[in-house]
Amino acid sequence: MISLTINGLEVSMEEGTTLLEASRFYGFPIPTLCHMDGLSPYGACRLCVVEIGQGANAKLVTSCTYPVEEGLQVRTASSRVVKARKMILELLLASCPQSKTIQDLASSHDIRQQRFKQEFEDCILCGRCVRMCEEQMAAKAIGFRGRGEKRSLGTPFDMKSETCRLCGACMYVCPACELRCTYTELDKAICGGCANLSPPCLEKNSFDDMMCYMEPCVACEVKKD
Amino acid sequence: MNPEHIREIIDHHEGGKKAGIIPILEDIQSQYSYLPEEALRIVAEKTGRSLVDIYGVASFYKAFSLKPRGKHLISICLGTACHVRGGLRIAEEFERQLKIKPGETTKDKEITLETVNCLGACALGPIVTVDGRYFSNVVSPKVREIIHKARTGLDRVDIKTDERIFPVEVACPRCNHSLMDRHHYIDGYPSIRVTVSFEFKHGWVRLSCLYGSYSVDSEYKIPDGVITNFFCPHCHAELIGASECMTCGAPMVPMLVRGEGGMIQICSRRGCKGHRLDLT
């Protein structure tokens, strides 16, 4: 067992556990995005940063990839951590403002304005789908391609993969492109039934590109009757 | 593309078990000048890795190309120094005259254009290299001439028959400080002093400044065949360019020629006589 201090509380954890697991085990919440139980730690979204060390040596590390260390002093919600996390969330929100997951995370972290240009990216390169495909579905049909600005996700040569079984797990775990409401018309991205209900989250001019996140969908429930 | 040939290359590397897949891809690239899709599928199958991984590596590194490349490669430097000296304008001029964008190849499969981030000769910017030969202080009117030279093929001086012997005065291509050491003479002329490192040893080396002479004096004895890293004794930048020795394939060490203006490149492998002189 390894003993360390999390937010001033002396705790002990088994060797090999990560700071994220330890913190959550002892009830200190840490927000995550690219992390998922059952998938290997990746450290891409940086949302789970915590502060370790003392004084001038204090630094921010991603708790999902950092293993527990003897005598480590961890702060999961220091002002530096909160500030860094808010900035990361603002940037994530700017790159993918249509994502419900990111919207929720942003609002729960008290982000009330958007300072950066919205990019409406389809992908935030969190790598969840890649790990899902490889580790849980044992398929390895999709992966990262290119680098830097041109880094993207997809199959080799953009061709239909022979190893893909169309299981849909990649879409299921994606925080950016969550499966859209299709009601009965599968070819339509959104059924539009909720348009008449005009919930505040749907106050937009065009409905072609919308995603509905109500579960269960009010409009679908109404239509069923 | 011959699938058997690809299999041979992979077998030669023992299926990538020892050094991974990059050396395999490098070999295929050097044979075909690009990585054909079919070749990548064979590599995936033979090495037992998924195509996703192979494709990820192939698309990650700039040295690999997934599209066929031309016979001649024109690289335009857009590193900081070349950029502020107007490298971007030179690149635009090349794009306009060749009617292709960087990373593309002309329709006749003759010339591939690419932009690179530093060719290690900042003092001579803007730099353009054609098949590893340097063109320094390039201005827009010179672009047409460079393209013409690239198409006709640069007259390669055969090293064995090149018996010209004359002294050169060289400087560091990064900081432009002279590398000449006027206190130590080799072959009756001031020597060229640089620092080298190899096998955890780090010391000075003095080279003869006579073009055509291979006399060397060094702090540590460098065994034959060892590739050393050269550094400028003033700015401590590594003297490394983009090209490889035509004789042995080791990286070439670029140095700036004072007076005439131009680049001299020597092979970084001890004992190899590969060198190249490009005067402007």
Side-chain angles (χ1 to χ4, degrees):
Chain A
M1 295 294 265
I2 288 174
S3 46
L4 65 157
T5 325
I6 302 178
N7 292 350
L9 181 74
E10 299 231 348
V11 300
S12 56
M13 281 307 280
E14 248 173 68
E15 196 177 344
T17 47
T18 63
L19 289 183
L20 178 70
E21 286 162 342
S23 305
R24 284 193 170 166
F25 183 76
Y26 285 99
F28 299 111
I30 295 178
T32 53
L33 186 60
C34 72
H35 171 84
M36 197 175 190
D37 287 332
L39 301 182
S40 59
Y42 195 56
C45 69
R46 320 305 287 180
L47 205 55
C48 63
V49 283
V50 293
E51 197 179 9
I52 58 164
Q54 281 297 317
N57 291 328
K59 59 175 179 177
L60 295 177
V61 294
T62 47
S63 60
C64 68
T65 53
Y66 204 95
V68 288
E69 268 174 21
E70 189 64 45
L72 200 67
Q73 304 227 353
V74 186
R75 289 175 297 284
T76 64
S78 66
S79 60
R80 189 178 168 196
V81 168
V82 171
K83 209 178 151 200
R85 230 175 246 162
K86 278 182 87 165
M87 175 55 86
I88 293 163
L89 267 171
E90 263 188 79
L91 290 165
L92 278 170
L93 191 62
S95 76
C96 199
Q98 74 275 28
S99 159
K100 168 76 171 158
T101 313
I102 296 173
Q103 286 170 8
D104 283 355
L105 274 166
S107 86
S108 66
H109 283 79
D110 209 27
I111 290 167
R112 297 283 172 260
Q113 55 168 354
Q114 183 94 77
R115 288 183 292 169
F116 306 109
K117 189 178 161 253
Q118 302 192 334
E119 303 282 357
F120 296 97
E121 302 278 358
D122 296 328
C123 178
I124 53 168
L125 300 171
C126 68
R128 264 197 189 192
C129 50
V130 176
R131 284 173 288 151
M132 189 70 181
C133 191
E134 179 183 348
E135 292 164 19
Q136 294 293 339
M137 299 301 155
K140 269 199 145 186
I142 51 172
F144 286 108
R145 308 163 309 173
R147 65 165 163 183
E149 221 186 16
K150 296 199 181 80
R151 198 156 189 244
S152 68
L153 260 165
T155 55
F157 304 104
D158 270 326
M159 293 196 319
K160 195 176 172 299
S161 172
E162 289 138 33
T163 40
C164 176
R165 300 190 300 267
L166 301 176
C167 68
C170 46
M171 290 194 284
Y172 184 74
V173 298
C174 178
C177 74
E178 292 129 306
L179 286 173
R180 296 171 184 197
C181 167
T182 50
Y183 187 51
T184 46
E185 295 159 271
L186 286 172
D187 53 335
K188 267 192 165 180
I190 187 164
C191 70
C194 48
N196 300 327
L197 298 161
S198 61
C201 66
L202 292 179
E203 275 174 17
K204 266 194 161 186
N205 295 329
S206 155
F207 287 95
D208 301 337
D209 216 18
M210 293 287 303
M211 282 185 225
C212 174
Y213 306 103
M214 285 185 286
E215 207 182 63
C217 169
V218 192
C220 297
E221 293 294 311
V222 174
K223 271 192 192 173
K224 265 186 208 163
D225 299 333
Chain B
M1 198 206 76
N2 178 1
E4 277 312 304
H5 187 206
I6 303 287
R7 290 202 174 87
E8 266 168 41
I9 292 174
I10 300 164
D11 286 337
H12 182 72
H13 287 282
E14 293 162 35
K17 282 184 187 69
K18 248 187 180 168
I21 54 173
I22 289 179
I24 300 176
L25 298 183
E26 274 176 342
D27 269 11
I28 298 171
Q29 165 101 12
S30 70
Q31 297 277 332
Y32 294 94
S33 84
Y34 79 110
L35 298 173
E37 185 191 329
E38 195 51 41
L40 292 192
R41 288 188 191 277
I42 296 169
V43 172
E45 181 196 317
K46 285 272 284 182
T47 57
R49 285 165 212 261
S50 66
L51 186 61
V52 164
D53 290 345
I54 312 275
Y55 186 82
V57 171
S59 61
F60 183 90
Y61 292 102
K62 213 178 170 183
F64 296 129
S65 169
L66 294 163
K67 281 184 273 174
R69 302 189 118 189
K71 267 190 221 157
H72 306 289
L73 176 67
I74 299 183
S75 317
I76 304 152
C77 184
L78 288 183
T80 316
C82 292
H83 198 285
V84 295
R85 285 176 182 219
L88 210 56
R89 246 175 294 146
I90 306 296
E92 278 164 11
E93 187 62 23
F94 271 103
E95 280 175 40
R96 197 181 64 78
Q97 293 202 12
L98 292 168
K99 298 186 185 71
I100 50 171
K101 291 244 167 321
E104 293 176 353
T105 305
T106 49
K107 271 200 192 120
D108 55 4
K109 298 263 180 288
E110 280 290 317
I111 293 173
T112 299
L113 188 67
E114 66 167 24
T115 58
V116 290
N117 286 332
C118 190
L119 288 163
C122 310
L124 287 176
I127 290 278
V128 171
T129 62
V130 177
D131 297 336
R133 306 207 68 144
Y134 282 81
F135 290 87
S136 43
N137 295 316
V138 177
V139 284
S140 302
K142 255 169 119 182
V143 168
R144 186 168 295 277
E145 185 194 327
I146 294 172
I147 293 173
H148 177 73
K149 277 193 177 163
R151 279 195 199 279
T152 49
L154 290 152
D155 48 326
R156 295 228 165 95
V157 180
D158 194 351
I159 292 156
K160 282 179 197 120
T161 60
D162 186 12
E163 285 180 354
R164 295 178 291 172
I165 289 190
F166 54 90
V168 286
E169 215 174 282
V170 294
C172 167
R174 295 283 168 108
C175 66
N176 210 5
H177 271 99
S178 174
L179 297 174
M180 306 311 291
D181 186 349
R182 307 211 181 272
H183 302 294
H184 292 88
Y185 279 60
I186 293 180
D187 296 338
Y189 285 93
S191 57
I192 299 167
R193 191 173 71 99
V194 286
T195 25
V196 293
S197 72
F198 65 100
E199 293 168 357
F200 305 110
K201 286 190 189 124
H202 197 74
W204 55 260
V205 155
R206 291 198 171 87
L207 312 163
S208 168
C209 74
L210 280 184
Y211 182 77
S213 162
Y214 302 99
S215 312
V216 177
D217 187 15
S218 63
E219 189 172 349
Y220 301 103
K221 197 181 172 331
I222 308 168
D224 262 2
V226 167
I227 297 176
T228 49
N229 300 80
F230 284 67
F231 298 90
C232 168
H234 304 289
C235 68
H236 307 290
E238 184 170 7
L239 303 173
I240 189 158
S243 47
E244 289 175 347
C245 175
M246 280 164 65
T247 321
C248 73
M252 295 291 266
V253 179
M255 283 180 277
L256 204 141
V257 180
R258 280 271 174 88
E260 306 234 14
M263 292 294 291
I264 185 162
Q265 297 180 71
I266 59 166
C267 180
S268 59
R269 193 191 296 275
R270 175 80 181 106
C272 176
K273 292 185 175 175
H275 64 269
R276 190 175 251 195
L277 180 67
D278 299 311
L279 293 178
T280 40

